[in-house]
Amino acid sequence: MLTTLQTSYTDTRADDLAWALGREPLPALAALDLKLQDVKVQLRLLGASHQVIIEQGESRCSETVACIAGSSTPLPLGVAKRVGDWEYEFAARVETMSSGSFAGRAQELLALVSDHPNGLAGVFPGSPHAFTALLVQRREGQVHWRTWHAYPQEGQLVATRTRVGARLPAPQPA
């Protein structure tokens, strides 16, 4: 699903992004509710970037990557944590491109996500290449999502990858 977000940039630079785990839902400009087998997933586009909330039974996990006022947790390159009964893994990278490469990559990602049944993309007014996009899948008992945050004025694309799944039991000694 592709939407035009009725707001201006809140996070205008890749360096403004912060990461948080476990936050309550923030006001969303657009949301997509999905059921992937027995897991409920909500993809949320914020004026300040994205939030993903997943629930399965009594277990809940929320990831926020956004410009968060007062946050002291910058966007990490990687995180691995236990969240209730789940293992959570997060990775982020920032790509810097020429304006021509950036425009082509932006069009490619927007087409991929907007045509996918488990995708949500929002374009910010003022630039067709200023967007936030999310895509979620469930495979092998785990929920995986990817996000892209585009900053055309800097030629930067922030890409994140997350995996959440049940904790595997510790191997038993033979």
Side-chain angles (χ1 to χ4, degrees):
M1 179 170 98
L2 179 63
T3 186
T4 298
L5 302 173
Q6 300 305 313
T7 189
S8 58
Y9 263 141
T10 301
D11 54 338
T12 57
R13 299 172 340 131
D15 289 344
D16 291 341
L17 286 176
W19 169 87
L21 194 59
R23 288 184 73 103
E24 290 300 313
L26 297 170
L29 299 172
L32 179 62
D33 291 308
L34 300 165
K35 183 122 176 158
L36 304 177
Q37 297 169 4
D38 58 339
V39 178
K40 289 187 222 173
V41 179
Q42 186 176 62
L43 304 178
R44 302 167 59 80
L45 293 175
L46 313 175
S49 280
H50 89 259
Q51 190 171 49
V52 175
I53 300 170
I54 67 169
E55 296 179 9
Q56 182 180 35
E58 298 298 312
S59 297
R60 183 172 187 268
C61 179
S62 123
E63 171 189 277
T64 307
V65 172
C67 179
I68 303 168
S71 176
S72 60
T73 306
L75 191 63
L77 294 177
V79 173
K81 288 187 167 257
R82 287 188 176 175
V83 178
D85 292 335
W86 291 330
E87 294 288 344
Y88 169 91
E89 290 181 7
F90 171 87
R93 74 177 188 284
V94 178
E95 301 174 44
T96 302
M97 298 170 246
S98 68
S99 61
S101 295
F102 186 90
R105 183 77 172 129
Q107 289 174 337
E108 176 184 283
L109 288 169
L110 285 171
L112 169 76
V113 174
S114 62
D115 291 341
H116 197 286
N118 297 344
L120 176 63
V123 177
F124 289 89
S127 171
H129 303 130
F131 69 90
T132 299
L134 301 93
L135 182 63
V136 64
Q137 299 178 40
R138 181 173 170 111
R139 59 182 190 263
E140 299 174 5
Q142 299 179 334
V143 179
H144 300 255
W145 62 87
R146 296 188 64 188
T147 74
W148 298 271
H149 305 261
Y151 301 93
Q153 71 282 10
E154 296 181 316
Q156 290 188 319
L157 182 69
V158 177
T160 74
R161 181 183 305 255
T162 303
R163 181 192 63 79
V164 176
R167 277 198 288 206
L168 299 174
Q172 298 299 316

